[in-house]
Amino acid sequence: MLRHYESLGLLPPVARTGSGYRLYGEKEVHTLRFIRRARDLGFSMAEIAELLKLWQNRRRASGQVKRIAEAHIADLDRRLAEMQAMRRALAELARCCHGDDRPDCPILDDLSQGALP
């Protein structure tokens, strides 16, 4: 992941030892912790890049940060609603399935309706 972060410009290239190990200072470790926390909150790499720029810019307006966070919240809400709808649909299909030795299965029937011939 470190190479990936460097390639995305999230982390600057750092000095290396003679054997090729990266030498991270306190600043880089702090940046890595920032990235990790943002990832834990589900931000995309593009969002993390923007948040990092804002974090490093002491003249930033907090409104910019809040807009990114609120857009992410809206995306999470949308995804949660989609997942809840999927769960309801699947729970209903599972409820309709007898789950016995018979070959008929409403779950497979429903799935096959969307399958291409």
Side-chain angles (χ1 to χ4, degrees):
M1 288 304 294
L2 299 175
R3 267 185 271 149
H4 183 61
Y5 294 158
E6 287 177 3
S7 72
L8 294 174
L10 301 179
L11 193 63
V14 295
R16 291 179 179 256
T17 65
S19 55
Y21 291 101
R22 290 176 175 85
L23 296 171
Y24 290 106
E26 191 174 318
K27 181 181 177 183
E28 292 83 14
V29 170
H30 199 163
T31 300
L32 284 168
R33 287 186 179 134
F34 182 100
I35 293 168
R36 175 58 189 242
R37 180 64 178 143
R39 288 188 65 209
D40 288 347
L41 291 172
F43 285 102
S44 69
M45 287 299 164
E47 291 167 327
I48 293 172
E50 186 62 29
L51 289 167
L52 268 172
K53 288 177 191 171
L54 291 167
W55 178 55
Q56 293 164 346
N57 176 4
R58 297 289 180 204
R59 304 182 87 209
R60 70 188 171 258
S62 65
Q64 293 174 283
V65 180
K66 185 173 182 173
R67 279 190 288 283
I68 294 169
E70 287 177 337
H72 185 58
I73 291 167
D75 183 52
L76 289 172
D77 287 342
R78 178 191 55 77
R79 290 172 28 206
L80 279 169
E82 289 173 356
M83 291 181 77
Q84 288 170 339
M86 285 187 277
R87 188 192 184 291
R88 283 190 303 273
L90 188 54
E92 178 60 22
L93 289 170
R95 188 189 65 73
C96 293
C97 182
H98 295 286
D100 54 19
D101 292 334
R102 292 184 281 178
D104 59 312
C105 178
I107 299 169
L108 294 177
D109 291 343
D110 183 83
L111 293 174
S112 70
Q113 290 178 10
L116 296 174

